Structures are given as C-alpha cells and as structure tokens.
Amino acid sequence: MTSPHKKSSLVALTLAAVGIVYGDIGTSPLYTLKTIFAPEHGLALTPANLLGTVSLIFWGLTLIVSLKYVTLVLRADNRGEGGIMALMALALSSVTRQSRWYFPLSVVGVFGATLFYGDSVITPAISVLSAIEGLEVATPALSRYVVPLTIVVLVALYSVQSHGTAGIGRWFAPIMVVWFAALAVMGIVNIVAAPQILAALNPWHALQFMLDNRLIAFIALGAVVLAFTGAEALYADMGHFGKKPIRMAWFLITFPALALNYLGQGGLLLANPDAISNPFYQQLGAWSVYPLVILSTMATVIASQATISGTFSMTKQAIALGFLPRMRVRHTSESEIGQIYIPVVNWLQLCVVLLAVVGFGSSENLAAAYGIAVTATMLATTILTFFVIRYRWNLNPLLCWGATGFFLAIDIAFFSASALKLFHGGWFPLLLGAILFSVMLTWKRGRQLVFQNLEKHAIPLDDFLSSLFIAPPPRVPGTAIFLRGESDGVPHALLHNLSHNKVLHERVVFLTVHMKEVPWVAPEKQVSIDDLGHQCYQLNVHYGFKDEPDIPNVLALCSKHGLDFEMMETSFFIARQTVISTPGAGMAPWREHLFVTMSRNARGAADYYQIPTNRVIELGTQVEI
C-alpha cells in the first residue's frame, strides 16, 4: 500500500525533494574543505593533497550517496517507507522472534536511531553557525556577533514549529534550487580559472593521497565524511516523496551542483591557498559575501527544518514500535499526514542545540562531533540492509556479502577516522545517543515486565465469560468498550466495574490494538471482530507504525462487519496503570525508577487514541515490576 500523502506530478515532487531531502548534504560545502585542512589535522595544503581530498570527496559522493543510498538502500522500502526505524522493522521481520539475531538487530536499529537524534541536534547548530560565520569573512569585527545571531535564528526556527511548514514549505524548493544553482555557478567560475583541478576526477589521486599520507590521510577521512552528511535523510524521506523523485533530484540537480562546487573550491585553493580560512565565501570575491550569507542562512534553516521534521517523524515511529512512551502529537496540516509537531521533542531539542552552539562556539569545533554520529548511523544501515537482502529477499549469499562487505569496509574506515575525534567533540553525539538508547531500551523492557506481570495474574477471558453467564449480572442499556492489551486476559476495568457497580452493559466490546512492523495497514484490513456470545465481542484493531491511531474512525469501519456504534450510548472503560518499582527481579533500580517516571508522564491512552474525553471512564490499577 502506498502512503496516503498527496499525489503530485513527478516534476513537483522532484523539486520538493530538492527542497526538503537535500538541504543537509547541500549545505556541506560551507564547512567541509575548511575543516579538512584545519591546522589541528596536520594536513598540509599542497596541490597533491588538494587533488587527493577533492578526489576523495567526489568518489565518496559517487560510491556512498549515489551507489549505496540512492541506488541500493532506497530499494529496501518498508511498504514505501524508509529510514532506520522502517529498515529495522524490515530486518526484524526477516528473522523470527526466536532467532539469535532478533535482539542484536533491535539493538543496532535502536542505536542507529538514537544517533540520528544526535545528528539532528548537530545539523541545525553546525549549518546555521557556518552560514553566519560568513560575516567574519566580510568584516572580522563582526565575529563576536556570530554565536548570538545563530541563537536568534535557531530560537526563531523552533518557535514556529507549532504552526507547521505548510505556509512556508512552498518556498523551500525554489530557495534550494537557487542555492544549488549558485553552488554550480561558483564551481564553474573557479574550475575555468584553474582547470587543472579536473584531474581530481581520476580516482588514482584519492588512492595516491591515502598511500602517501597514511595516518594524516586517515585522520582527514573524519573530516571528508562531512561531505556526505544528510545521506541518511534521503532514505528517511522516501515515504514522503517516493524513490523516483529522490533519485531524479540527486542525479539531475544535487550531485552535479555539489561536485562542481567542491571542484571549484579546490581550483580556488590551487590558485589562492590563503583562501583556506573560508574557501566557500571567497569563491566570487568580496562583493558576494553578504548575498551568500543571506542565501546560505536560508538554505541552512531549510536543512535544519528537514532534520527537525525527521526527528518528529522518527519519534512517532518509535512510540508506535514501543520504544518511547506516548506523547502529544499535533498535526499541523489538514492535507499532509506527515506534517506533525511534538512539543516535548521540539523544546528539548532546542535546548540541546543551543548547548551545542554555545559549548562548541564554531562550526569547526562542531565538525568533530558531527562525523561520528553520521558514520555510526551509516554503519547501522549497512548491517540492517544485509539482513534484509539476505534473509528477506533471499538474494545470492555471495552477492549479499560482496555488496554489503564493500560498503561495510568504507563505513568502518570512516567511523574509525571519526572515532579519533572522540575527545574533541565526538563524545557529544555518543553521549546523546547513549542517553536516548538507555531511555528507549528501558521503556521497551519496562513494558515487557508490565505485560509479563499482567499475564501472570490474567484470568482467561473465555473461561471468565463462561462462568459469568451461568448467573449473569443485570444488563444495562448501552455499549461498554474495554481496552485490552494483546496478552491480557479479563481487563481490570471490567473486574472493577463488576465489583463496584454489579452490572454489565447490554453490549460489551473488548478492544485490542495490535501494532504491526509495517508503516501502513489498509483501512479494510484494520478491523477484525470475533463474536464471543451473549452480545460480547472481541474487536482487534491493526495499525502500522506510521498510521494515525483514531478509535472513533475504527468504530465507524465496524459497521461493515455488522457492528454499529452510537457514540452517545458508548462508554470507554480504561485501566490507568500505576507502575510500582519493587526490589529484586526486573531491571536495575535506576532503570525501574526511570521507567516509573516515564510511565507517570506518558500521554493517556484515551488522548492518544483520540477517544472523546466525555465518553471515558478511567479505573486505576497497580502493577509491580
């Protein structure tokens, strides 16, 4: 099933993909070459080294982005959806739950996802900082205003998230097309001035550079990888645009513009090595600095917007797959289902982004933190892709090992080079990832313990109903819907109701929500009903991790199955679980306390499933873990 986003023409979708998908990778020329030849890396700015690094960037864009992501990884779609969460769900479905690979694959997927969060914190910080640093090129006296201006831009960006991008989103594509056109033109101007840089198209220069410089070249790889940041975003956005527009946007617009600009910056540095202080802003001379600062600030804000939207989307998927507690998710567009806003995530992310800006102070310092998050996510994607192509698609083992082994070797090389910067900022995304990783696995494990406890004390529903109707209680008019977990027996809310009110509604429905490891479930397959006798029914609702939970809408679908619901005569009984940490079995005490805190602050089931609040009766129950 295709995702229910608006159908648009191929040209419109391709242009939209340029605006949203390629903002991150498209703003990399702002800081990549400057960082590679930063004094702390110890790489001398010689013609041979310059040809070698530009060749590495060009062939990296060709192999990693064009071949790995655009050509191969985009094939691994989970019913049209991409991104590491969708890929993890696909990989997990290729092995059984009993498989020894199930848990390790879950860990790889979750850790890759948490590093995506790290990436989404650094992208706005480094992009906007590097854009506004152009002011230093124009007038060094303005350097003290760079960080304050960056903070103002970022606070403004996060403050408008609640309004969505429907209004300003239409400007993203034209601005980014102008941006890529500017990159291409600047590149051509400098290539014409120093055509000898075209020798960098020969991969021998990249190989020669690595052989001649050994350790220094290996260290430089950690900065070269900055040219590929954002490759993960094109895969994550597949569900919004589709494969073809993303591929066309890359090969027709983004790749040519990036290749020309990196070659152009290389040509500029061959002719004028002093321009290394900020090669991007010196490509056209002093007159162009202020216009470029304005254009690059708009481009970096769009790149940041893409990662913020990606974070909201990733969080929603993580909630559906059971890795995060329920949070308030607001839709900011009536026509685009993917346009969402999660207040908690928005403000938390802004706080961490501002910490990064103030703490690191410059794009050069942040670059060290960037590489490790990007390369670790790439590594996780390669590992998960292997399981999909080998065990789900059943491709030839030699082909699977050969293809993924080749990319694994590249990913490991880049990750190892980035890991050398662990104490120079690389710790930052790893610390963020470790915190989120602990939170996600604690929530997943805590929910398992809660279900195990409920299952242990569960009364089988069929047996209970058989004994209940030997001497049935009085029946009262209306319909009672009891929310029931997948592994629950008799819902606690029903037991409480019978114990206190001594009555049963004339129609009783047990509602169980099943989350599938697929992005979408077709409306006609969302509902199944079992008749349990005595006007009692089991209603099973099936959702994908990208579906919008909406119980009133599901009840409307039930009429096709012979069950009609009148909302004013229907009551929803929900057991609000109060989780209590107990010593002994379960998790470490700090994890149990973390889980209890998250559980108490999680969004209520009625709110999450969009059940009308005036039809809900909540009954408390305590669960020990």
Side-chain angles (χ1 to χ4, degrees):
M1 179 196 172
T2 56
S3 61
H5 55 63
K6 280 199 303 189
K7 296 285 186 289
S8 302
S9 72
L10 185 60
V11 173
L13 279 172
T14 301
L15 289 174
V18 171
I20 302 288
V21 178
Y22 293 112
D24 190 355
I25 199 168
T27 51
S28 297
L30 278 163
Y31 46 79
T32 300
L33 270 174
K34 183 177 78 167
T35 306
I36 292 171
F37 288 101
E40 61 266 25
H41 291 149
L43 185 63
L45 182 56
T46 64
N49 287 348
L50 195 54
L51 283 171
T53 51
V54 174
S55 186
L56 268 176
I57 290 171
F58 175 80
W59 286 102
L61 288 170
T62 303
L63 293 174
I64 294 174
V65 187
S66 300
L67 187 58
K68 178 185 170 182
Y69 278 95
V70 179
T71 306
L72 298 180
V73 175
L74 278 186
R75 293 173 185 267
D77 67 298
N78 194 337
R79 300 199 186 182
E81 282 298 317
I84 198 153
M85 277 286 181
L87 184 64
M88 179 183 75
L90 207 57
L92 290 176
S93 67
S94 68
V95 297
T96 61
R97 281 187 179 269
Q98 288 70 41
S99 167
R100 62 196 172 102
W101 291 110
Y102 194 88
F103 181 71
L105 285 176
S106 299
V107 169
V108 168
V110 172
F111 195 63
T114 59
L115 284 170
F116 178 86
Y117 281 106
D119 186 5
S120 66
V121 162
I122 299 170
T123 295
I126 193 173
S127 301
V128 178
L129 253 179
S130 58
I132 295 175
E133 279 170 355
L135 294 173
E136 296 175 328
V137 177
T139 313
L142 292 174
S143 59
R144 67 176 183 272
Y145 297 110
V146 169
V147 169
L149 276 173
T150 301
I151 290 171
V152 169
V153 171
L154 288 168
V155 170
L157 174 64
Y158 279 89
S159 298
V160 300
Q161 290 304 310
S162 59
H163 303 293
T165 58
I168 58 169
R170 68 173 75 96
W171 297 103
F172 286 3
I175 291 169
M176 290 310 293
V177 168
V178 170
W179 169 256
F180 284 117
L183 289 183
V185 169
M186 290 191 294
I188 291 167
V189 167
N190 286 288
I191 291 168
V192 169
Q196 60 269 38
I197 192 64
L198 291 173
L201 296 175
N202 183 347
W204 173 249
H205 285 286
L207 193 61
Q208 190 72 45
F209 168 73
M210 295 298 293
L211 293 172
D212 288 348
N213 292 281
R214 303 289 173 91
L215 181 60
I216 292 176
F218 180 66
I219 294 168
L221 281 182
V224 170
V225 78
L226 295 174
F228 322 130
T229 58
E232 202 65 41
L234 69 89
Y235 179 44
D237 281 321
M238 179 166 55
H240 293 125
F241 301 101
K243 298 174 194 176
K244 197 169 184 182
I246 288 175
R247 285 178 174 147
M248 286 180 69
W250 173 253
F251 287 115
L252 296 180
I253 298 171
T254 311
F255 184 33
L258 288 175
L260 285 169
N261 195 260
Y262 282 119
L263 287 164
Q265 286 190 47
L268 169 71
L269 293 173
L270 278 178
N272 178 18
D274 291 338
I276 193 59
S277 58
N278 201 322
F280 180 83
Y281 283 108
Q282 297 185 48
Q283 289 179 91
L284 294 181
W287 67 268
S288 67
V289 174
Y290 287 114
L292 278 177
V293 168
I294 294 167
L295 180 59
S296 57
T297 301
M298 288 193 289
T300 54
V301 164
I302 291 167
S304 304
Q305 178 60 57
T307 57
I308 295 166
S309 302
T311 307
F312 293 155
S313 180
M314 176 85 81
T315 303
K316 187 168 179 280
Q317 292 179 36
I319 292 168
L321 289 169
F323 287 103
L324 284 174
R326 290 187 295 259
M327 300 176 201
R328 185 170 297 282
V329 178
R330 277 173 45 193
H331 288 265
T332 57
S333 170
E334 291 179 7
S335 56
E336 292 284 350
I337 196 165
Q339 301 254 335
I340 58 172
Y341 168 67
I342 305 177
V344 174
V345 174
N346 186 65
W347 298 115
L348 273 176
Q349 191 177 14
L350 173 61
C351 291
V352 183
V353 168
L354 294 183
L355 273 175
V357 170
V358 175
F360 287 91
S362 74
S363 61
E364 216 166 280
N365 294 338
L366 263 169
Y370 208 3
I372 205 160
V374 172
T375 52
T377 310
M378 286 178 170
L379 197 57
T381 297
T382 303
I383 293 166
L384 293 172
T385 303
F386 170 78
F387 281 87
V388 173
I389 64 174
R390 176 70 190 96
Y391 297 107
R392 189 177 176 88
W393 299 350
N394 296 314
L395 295 185
N396 183 292
L398 205 61
L399 178 68
C400 297
W401 282 107
T404 48
F406 174 67
F407 291 119
L408 198 65
I410 294 174
D411 291 339
I412 289 170
F414 279 116
F415 177 73
S416 306
S418 301
L420 295 173
K421 299 177 186 173
L422 188 62
F423 300 108
H424 300 281
W427 57 269
F428 182 66
L430 288 183
L431 177 65
L432 276 180
I435 292 168
L436 280 164
F437 185 71
S438 301
V439 166
M440 284 183 163
L441 286 193
T442 296
W443 181 257
K444 186 80 169 174
R445 178 64 182 143
R447 293 305 299 162
Q448 285 175 348
L449 290 171
V450 166
F451 288 137
Q452 284 170 13
N453 184 294
L454 292 172
E455 209 170 20
K456 196 163 55 180
H457 299 102
I459 303 165
L461 183 61
D462 291 342
D463 296 347
F464 175 80
L465 290 177
S466 298
S467 61
L468 179 68
F469 288 107
I470 292 171
R475 308 290 288 260
V476 293
T479 298
I481 296 180
F482 294 91
L483 264 66
R484 177 173 176 251
E486 290 184 42
S487 57
D488 287 4
V490 180
H492 282 260
L494 174 60
L495 296 174
H496 282 303
N497 189 46
L498 285 169
S499 173
H500 295 286
N501 299 324
K502 311 283 193 293
V503 294
L504 196 67
H505 284 71
E506 64 183 357
R507 189 169 64 169
V508 178
V509 176
F510 301 102
L511 191 154
T512 304
V513 176
H514 302 265
M515 297 307 301
K516 300 292 183 183
E517 289 178 345
V518 295
W520 314 96
V521 174
E524 62 272 14
K525 294 182 179 176
Q526 283 185 348
V527 171
S528 63
I529 297 169
D530 296 322
D531 190 339
L532 304 175
H534 305 284
Q535 285 284 84
C536 296
Y537 302 90
Q538 171 64 48
L539 168 58
N540 293 304
V541 180
H542 304 273
Y543 283 131
F545 56 76
K546 292 275 283 186
D547 279 317
E548 180 62 23
D550 187 343
I551 294 303
N553 185 51
V554 160
L555 298 185
L557 294 174
C558 291
S559 58
K560 295 176 183 175
H561 299 264
L563 270 186
D564 288 303
F565 291 90
E566 174 54 55
M567 199 54 74
M568 296 310 294
E569 295 176 6
T570 303
S571 300
F572 293 83
F573 289 82
I574 298 172
R576 179 173 276 278
Q577 295 165 352
T578 302
V579 182
I580 299 169
S581 172
T582 54
M587 297 184 286
W590 70 268
R591 289 184 73 193
E592 288 192 354
H593 290 303
L594 173 63
F595 177 74
V596 168
T597 303
M598 287 194 290
S599 185
R600 285 177 183 164
N601 288 286
R603 187 182 176 192
D607 192 19
Y608 183 72
Y609 291 119
Q610 301 185 46
I611 300 169
T613 49
N614 62 339
R615 308 309 307 161
V616 174
I617 299 159
E618 280 198 347
L619 300 160
T621 179
Q622 288 190 341
V623 182
E624 294 181 351
I625 59 168

